[in-house]
Amino acid sequence: MTEQAPARETAPDLGGAHTFTGAGTVQDQKAADTTVAQAGGELRQATLWSDAWRQLRRNPVFLLGAGLFVVFAVMAIAPGLFTDADPRAADLSLSTKPPSSEAWFGYDIQGRDYFANVVYGARVSMAVGFFTTLGILLIGVVIGSLAGYYGGWLDALLARITDVFYGLPLILGATVVLLSALRDRGIVQVSLAIMIFAWMNPMRLVRATIVSVKDADYVQAARALGASTWRILVRHILPNAVAPVLVYATITVGLIIAAEATLSFIGIGLKLPEISWGLQINSGLQRIRDSGFLVFFPSLFLSLTVLSFILMGDALRDALDPKLR
């Protein structure tokens, strides 16, 4: 008798039907399953955030802003990595000595190493920027959620209150608060003064998002299943507001840093012995004719920090907007 030929099996593959023989059938089937799993993984990863991150990694504007941000963030967290000089050690014999190999940025009016002062100034500016922005988002999200979800008289009342605060300029309002209501003018006080007059934009962003989706089918289904108001807001509505609020927050950090520097420059914000770019510009302005570097270096660092957040915010806005792809 002659031996029978091995059984021939036909297994489906992604590209169509192919013929397999013997042990190769199992290996090829495993390879096909792996390919399917990989394809399914790729499909699951194709989300708004993954697409945005893929675009951001290729955007030179975002990479430039992110690079500057990393430098200044490290400078704020660990200034000792950039200089070992004491920013408060003064020697009047070195007052306003110009930049040299010993002191890259020269010395300030008190004879302190100016490079160390500028480096340590990043900590205060970053702290004010992030702390204030966090408070602004907290206030804006809470008020916007209440106004957009409940609507009616509550929405009208909160909208009128928002309009009142919109009519008060940020710098002017913060100046009044700092001079009349707050005795001390440290980081916390300056942040609170700016926070009071800068929460309106995120409030309107969140309110508009909630109004547009609160009657959607998935929200109605959550209500029908007995979900609480808190769960509906947190799990089903607020995630839709993350993208615009994140873009706003990124740009706002830079604007808040500039606002703090402005308040300190005009003598309303932080006070000595704090180390701030605004205070350095204010002090250097007295000697700008013969020691212009006292204004140039802190102004340069301030401008680059604000620019980094604006660049990242613009790139993030473009990446998260499907219409711009």
Side-chain angles (χ1 to χ4, degrees), residues 258-274:
E260 177 275 319
T262 302
L263 290 172
S264 299
F265 171 73
I266 62 179
I268 306 300
L270 298 172
K271 297 189 301 183
L272 295 174
E274 294 287 356

Side-chain angles (χ1 to χ4, degrees), residues 42-311:
E42 292 176 357
L43 291 175
R44 286 193 295 270
Q45 293 174 1
T47 63
L48 173 65
W49 296 103
S50 63
D51 290 343
W53 173 240
R54 190 177 302 109
Q55 182 174 344
L56 288 174
R57 287 182 298 177
R58 301 171 182 158
N59 190 336
V61 174
F62 176 80
L63 295 178
L64 175 60
L68 290 173
F69 165 72
V70 170
V71 171
F72 290 114
V74 174
M75 188 179 296
I77 297 172
L81 296 177
F82 294 84
T83 178
D84 56 358
D86 185 356
R88 302 186 187 278
D91 185 354
L92 292 177
S93 64
L94 301 174
S95 178
T96 65
K97 187 176 179 180
S100 62
S101 59
E102 297 179 357
W104 293 353
F105 291 180
Y107 295 88
D108 65 4
I109 298 176
Q110 286 78 31
R112 299 175 299 185
D113 187 291
Y114 209 43
F115 177 72
N117 269 262
V118 174
V119 168
Y120 276 83
R123 174 176 294 178
V124 173
S125 297
M126 285 287 191
V128 172
F130 280 101
F131 179 76
T132 305
T133 302
L134 183 62
I136 288 172
L137 294 181
L138 180 61
I139 298 173
V141 168
V142 171
I143 297 179
S145 300
L146 294 176
Y149 187 79
Y150 290 104
W153 66 270
L154 181 61
D155 184 19
L157 176 62
L158 294 177
R160 300 295 76 79
I161 295 175
T162 304
D163 292 339
V164 171
F165 279 90
Y166 260 121
L168 299 173
L170 172 61
I171 300 299
L172 177 60
T175 299
V176 172
V177 171
L178 289 171
L179 291 179
S180 61
L182 300 176
R183 296 181 180 180
D184 298 326
R185 296 206 296 268
I187 295 177
V188 176
Q189 289 78 12
V190 172
S191 297
L192 289 175
I194 298 176
M195 200 183 301
I196 293 173
F197 298 96
W199 54 268
M200 295 81 70
N201 284 333
M203 178 271 181
R204 289 195 167 181
L205 285 174
V206 173
R207 177 191 174 277
T209 301
I210 291 179
V211 169
S212 64
V213 302
K214 70 176 182 179
D215 293 326
D217 292 340
Y218 61 89
V219 177
Q220 298 291 347
R223 288 198 188 100
L225 292 174
S228 63
T229 300
W230 172 259
R231 182 178 179 83
I232 293 174
L233 283 172
V234 174
R235 296 292 300 275
H236 302 287
I237 295 181
L238 285 180
N240 292 280
V242 170
V245 169
L246 181 60
V247 173
Y248 171 81
T250 305
I251 298 177
T252 299
V253 173
L255 300 180
I256 296 300
I257 292 175
E260 177 275 319
T262 302
L263 290 172
S264 299
F265 171 73
I266 62 179
I268 306 300
L270 298 172
K271 297 189 301 183
L272 295 174
E274 294 287 356
I275 301 177
S276 166
W277 290 331
L279 289 174
Q280 292 164 4
I281 296 172
N282 184 14
S283 177
L285 194 63
Q286 305 172 15
R287 305 292 298 272
I288 191 171
R289 291 187 178 181
D290 56 352
S291 302
F293 64 90
L294 295 178
V295 175
F296 173 75
F297 289 117
S299 299
L300 177 63
F301 275 55
L302 174 63
S303 300
L304 290 177
T305 303
V306 175
L307 178 64
S308 69
F309 287 102
I310 293 177
L311 292 178

